[in-house]
Structures are given as structure tokens and as C-alpha cells.
Amino acid sequence: MIPFSVLDLSPVTQGSTAADALRNTLDLARRAEDWGYKRFWLAEHHNMTGIASAATSVVIGYVAGGTQRIRVGSGGVMLPNHAPLVIAEQFGTLETLYPGRIDLGLGRAPGTDMLTARALRRDLAASAETFPQDVVELKSYFEPTEPGQLIQAVPGAGLRVPIWLLGSSLFSAQLAAMLGMPFAFASHFAPDALLPALDIYRERFKPSESLDKPYAMACVNVFAADTDREARRLFTSVQQQFVRLRRGTPGQLPPPVDDIDSVASPLDRASADHALKYSIIGAPDTVQQGLADFIRLTRVDELMVTGMVYDFDARLRSFELTAQAHARLAAEP
């Protein structure tokens, strides 16, 4: 059975604070480590009151320092927002502090709206165009230094931190294939290009020093509970969040409701449900079957699981039930 990993967005729920969210993130990471998940990734988003992981490298250090074995990384760092050398220094520092446990996933989007992107003080049009060159530059900072090299990442040089390319379209799939890098697809909110992107990545992959064959991961929403009904109710929080995002009014993660149609128009719900197409919702048997079907559909080498559940105890229970489903799948002949 392929490994399972966790993507956590450090959700700030209605009535709570960013401090609460970050404490919950560390608690979840510790439990995910005990439950056998391979990685624990955090994502860079800016100017979003419902997500506490904007300073992604800082949160990665917090989580890595509070765990023992699980790999911790970014899913991802939005490289157009940063100079490659700065990211190399940040992740070189993390790798120095927590050797063999740090992953660097890179995205091409700004991770926010255009107004906030300008506040980040980057020329996003130019940065997006130079993304391939920036990736190559960033990779070079983790290689051993050459005689006479004038610029180096300290720490960072020679550490060869594993770098992933993340995407929700075909672009990063093609680039990951060309550079011989592992690839992760954001199917948990962008379902349309999932299968074409995986096909392109596998067909065009060129082996590199760091990877001799394609290694693909996809992310899926999982809302697991003791009953199908309760799982569907938990899912209404993220449905509401997507509706609000589409309306241009994002905010903190709302509590679940008994009837999503009472708070969302048919058009809003259809749009949200399309974005959340790859969501597995239900009791343990339902979740186990859904996971098996998704793995069979995508043939991924690793599965990343996310779940924006409002109640933290219910969120923990969802990831625990998913880990149990993984164990049962692994035990199948």
C-alpha cells in the first residue's frame, strides 16, 4: 500500500484565534506521526483570516521541533513571492536543524489575491514567467559549492533538500517531468486537470540525479466519521468556505450546518461541489472504498489527505479513521 501523508492548512475556525490554530496543527502533527502518516505539509496563503500558515517556514520549524520522525514540509511555498536564495537559506536552516525530515514543495501561484500579491512587493507577472529558471536556481543552492562560487546558501549548500513541484494545471507537471522532480497535484480543490497532468508527467519524465523514475502524489479531501450522516455534516464547513471564497468574502472556517442548501444557492453549491469533486465523505467502510477507488483511478505513488473540519476533536477523529482505513487497505492480499 502506498504511503499516506497530511496537508494541514492550520484552519482558524470561527470564534478561535491563529494561536489556537497553530497549537492544533502541532497536536495533529504529533498524532499523525503516531498514526503512521509519512509527511505533514503546510501551505503558504496570505491575507486569509481562516488560514494561519502564511509564514510557512516558521510553522514548519515549529512542527518539526515538536515531532520526532514524520517528514515536515511545504505544500507549498509560493516561489513567485520570494527570492530563491531566501528560500534556500530558510529550508537549508530547517534541514540543518531537523536533518532528513524536511521537504520543500514549490507552487507557481501567489497564494492570494492580486492586491495582496502587490503588497508582497514582487512583480508577479515577471516572477511567474521566470518560475522555471527560479526553480533551477533554487535547486542549485542545495548542491555542493563549486570553487570560486560567489553566491551560496548558508546553511543550505550541499544539503540537497528534496524539492517537489506542486500544481493544479499541466504546467508544473511538464516542468517536473523535464527536471526529473517529484510532482504533487492539488486535486483537493482543482479536479479538472488531475488525470491529464499525471499522464503528462509520467509520459515525459526524464530521470535526474535525485529521481530515477516518476513519483506522483495527489491530494484528496477526506471527511471521516462514525456515520455517513455525521461525515456529510462535517463536510458542510468546507462547502460554506468555498461558497464564501467564490463570493469574494473569505473568512474563518464556519461551523457545520444540518442542511447546506439553507446557506448556499444551487449555483453556489454546484460551483463548490465541482471544486471539491475529489472528496471522500463517510463512515469507515465508505472512506476505505473511496480511498481505494481514488488510488486505483490515479495510480499515484503517495496520497496526501486534507480535511478542514471545524471541530478539532472531529478533525482528529477523521484523520485517525483515515489512518485505520489505510492500515486495512495495506493488509488486503
Side-chain angles (χ1 to χ4, degrees), residues 216-270:
M217 177 163 62
C219 188
V220 64
N221 300 291
V222 178
F223 292 80
D226 293 321
T227 66
D228 287 347
R229 180 178 180 180
E230 177 57 20
R232 287 193 296 270
R233 186 175 184 276
L234 297 177
F235 182 58
T236 63
S237 289
V238 77
Q239 286 177 302
Q240 293 176 77
Q241 189 180 53
F242 265 80
V243 166
R244 294 175 184 182
L245 186 63
R246 292 290 192 267
R247 292 174 177 172
T249 57
Q252 296 179 334
L253 185 70
V257 294
D258 293 327
D259 181 10
I260 187 62
D261 292 327
S262 66
V263 296
S265 70
L267 183 61
D268 284 337
R269 180 176 176 183

Side-chain angles (χ1 to χ4, degrees), residues 11 23 32 51 55 65 67 80 115 138 143 150 181 186 191 209 238 249 252 260-261 265 282 311:
R23 283 192 292 267
I51 295 176
T67 52
L115 183 64
L138 177 52
E143 296 298 322
L150 298 178
M181 300 171 67
E209 288 186 7
V238 77
T249 57
Q252 296 179 334
I260 187 62
D261 292 327
S265 70
D311 179 79

Side-chain angles (χ1 to χ4, degrees), residues 99-122:
R101 295 183 54 211
I102 301 300
D103 297 323
L104 172 52
L106 300 174
R108 188 169 63 108
T112 187
D113 59 89
M114 289 300 103
L115 183 64
T116 307
R118 286 194 291 272
L120 291 166
R121 301 176 185 269
R122 295 284 286 174

Side-chain angles (χ1 to χ4, degrees), residues 139-267:
K139 283 170 58 69
S140 73
Y141 289 129
F142 291 125
E143 296 298 322
T145 55
E146 299 288 342
Q149 183 174 328
L150 298 178
I151 301 175
Q152 57 182 289
V154 183
L159 295 182
R160 291 182 171 164
V161 175
I163 303 179
W164 293 66
L165 285 188
L166 318 180
S168 57
S169 66
L170 304 184
F171 181 90
S172 291
Q174 297 175 66
L175 183 60
M178 182 176 70
L179 297 178
M181 300 171 67
F183 174 62
F185 193 88
S187 41
H188 60 299
F189 70 85
D192 293 341
L194 169 63
L195 297 180
L198 292 176
D199 287 343
I200 286 175
Y201 172 65
R202 290 171 178 138
E203 291 167 2
R204 302 185 185 181
F205 183 86
K206 296 180 180 179
S208 66
E209 288 186 7
S210 59
L211 194 63
D212 60 357
K213 61 182 180 179
Y215 193 94
M217 177 163 62
C219 188
V220 64
N221 300 291
V222 178
F223 292 80
D226 293 321
T227 66
D228 287 347
R229 180 178 180 180
E230 177 57 20
R232 287 193 296 270
R233 186 175 184 276
L234 297 177
F235 182 58
T236 63
S237 289
V238 77
Q239 286 177 302
Q240 293 176 77
Q241 189 180 53
F242 265 80
V243 166
R244 294 175 184 182
L245 186 63
R246 292 290 192 267
R247 292 174 177 172
T249 57
Q252 296 179 334
L253 185 70
V257 294
D258 293 327
D259 181 10
I260 187 62
D261 292 327
S262 66
V263 296
S265 70
L267 183 61

